[in-house]
Amino acid sequence: MARTLDGVDLKDAVPRASYDVAAALHVLTTHRFVALTGAGLSTDSGIPDYRGPNAPARRPMSYQEFVSGRTAQQRYWARSHLGWSRMRRAVPNAGHHAVARLEHLGVLSTLITQNVDGLHEQAGSRRMHALHGRISDVVCLSCRERTTRRSLHDRLTALNPGFESRHGDVAVRPDGDVELADTRDFRVPSCDACGGVLKPDVVFFGENVPKDRVLRCYEAVEEADALLVAGSSLTVMSGLRFVRHAHKLGKPVVIVNRGATRGDPLASYRLDLGTSDFLPLVEASLVRR
């Protein structure tokens, strides 16, 4: 793709980094684009990311492990109960608010987020697909009855009095849980409707994103003029496939992320910037036009 801005070749006129920022802003303010966001967008809200420079080591529970029996479910819900107590207090940062305003200004056609923290919704995003679900929802694996995480949190608190205060010093991990060794005495409630196993309505490792959700995301990419990736390393295929699809269709791809991503070879513009810095700049540039 020719590196031009308003028809002028700038590659020899300004430093490469400054040129790429200007050219990326031009793409995003003159095209209707889809945004694909990842964990890096929520780090400024106090939620650690998965693969950034300071990311903690992690071994997320797989779906197969979760459904293996009561012991695994005790371990998951004990850790997640502590993590949720803190994650639910997180608030949207400048990046989340800029994404919502770009939607309202009409330049962002659809948001696809890999995050499950619900901060985009809190910031006001509406035209969006939560690719991996939402940690704020709970589903029964037997009858598919859906309840809120807040109501389950209250049940877990009542069944395990003093648990949160005894483990108040553990650090939250990117998945919204904590590192906790002994969870054998943690009590986990069953579904009120049928007695089945309760699971957060998020896509675990080893699960597939629902096909209809994937198709809606593909359609959003096809209908847009460009794709912005913000705060994702694109390590997992669930996000990378949309970058490949946009590239195959000849649409500009702008990637903004601290650190390398798997989609870098497909990017029209690749910016090593924080999302809380860059996304408000897109909004400001659009308003000035």
Side-chain angles (χ1 to χ4, degrees):
M1 176 177 296
R3 295 181 178 277
T4 61
L5 181 60
D6 292 331
V8 179
D9 189 345
L10 298 181
K11 66 182 179 181
D12 298 321
V14 296
R16 171 64 180 273
S18 299
Y19 163 76
D20 281 350
V21 170
L25 289 173
H26 180 67
V27 168
L28 298 174
T29 54
T30 58
H31 296 74
R32 286 198 47 152
F33 65 91
V34 168
L36 170 66
T37 65
L41 198 135
S42 292
T43 54
D44 286 345
S45 294
I47 299 174
D49 64 1
Y50 298 101
R51 300 173 181 90
N54 300 313
R58 62 190 289 267
R59 182 187 172 275
M61 182 173 289
S62 68
Y63 177 78
Q64 291 76 15
E65 184 179 2
F66 182 84
V67 298
S68 67
R70 195 71 172 174
T71 299
Q73 291 151 22
Q74 279 182 304
R75 184 165 65 254
Y76 175 84
W77 282 116
R79 294 176 174 185
S80 185
H81 182 57
L82 295 174
W84 169 250
S85 298
R86 300 175 201 184
M87 181 178 278
R88 67 175 176 167
R89 294 195 290 268
V91 296
N93 61 51
H96 296 106
H97 288 297
V99 167
R101 287 193 292 265
L102 288 168
E103 175 192 324
H104 298 156
L105 288 168
V107 68
L108 193 160
S109 60
T110 307
L111 167 65
I112 303 170
T113 185
Q114 296 173 286
N115 299 339
V116 300
D117 52 39
L119 294 180
H120 279 300
E121 295 94 315
Q122 289 185 41
S125 290
R126 294 295 176 263
R127 291 179 57 85
M128 64 173 290
H129 303 299
L131 192 61
H132 296 154
R134 295 181 178 89
I135 200 72
S136 60
D137 298 327
V138 177
V139 63
C140 172
L141 294 182
S142 297
C143 71
R144 310 308 295 180
E145 175 83 9
R146 297 171 66 86
T147 53
T148 67
R149 180 63 183 268
R150 186 176 296 276
S151 65
L152 177 61
H153 182 81
D154 292 341
R155 294 177 68 190
L156 289 168
T157 299
L159 285 171
N160 300 277
F163 183 79
E164 293 176 65
S165 60
R166 290 197 304 273
H167 301 287
D169 58 344
V170 290
V172 177
R173 301 193 303 182
D175 296 300
D177 63 357
V178 301
E179 187 62 50
L180 187 65
D182 188 359
T183 58
R184 291 172 296 177
D185 296 330
F186 192 77
R187 299 180 64 192
V188 180
S190 300
C191 172
D192 275 338
C194 74
V197 173
L198 297 176
K199 172 185 172 293
D201 195 13
V202 299
V203 178
F204 277 31
F205 280 80
E207 276 191 287
N208 294 319
V209 179
K211 288 184 178 180
D212 61 334
R213 193 179 302 167
V214 174
L215 289 175
R216 288 196 298 270
C217 293
Y218 273 128
E219 290 171 356
V221 173
E222 291 165 2
E223 293 168 0
D225 301 316
L227 172 66
L228 166 66
V229 178
S232 175
S233 64
L234 300 171
T235 300
V236 294
M237 186 55 66
S238 65
L240 180 61
R241 58 184 154 193
F242 302 120
V243 175
R244 290 180 171 176
H245 194 55
H247 182 264
K248 181 180 179 180
L249 295 173
K251 300 177 186 287
V253 176
V254 176
I255 298 180
V256 181
N257 190 63
R258 291 288 191 191
T261 84
R262 284 182 70 192
D264 287 353
L266 306 178
S268 308
Y269 301 103
R270 169 69 175 91
L271 308 178
D272 198 340
L273 296 173
T275 55
S276 294
D277 297 322
F278 181 75
L279 290 168
L281 189 59
V282 179
E283 180 192 358
S285 300
L286 181 67
V287 171
R288 287 198 300 267
R289 292 189 68 89

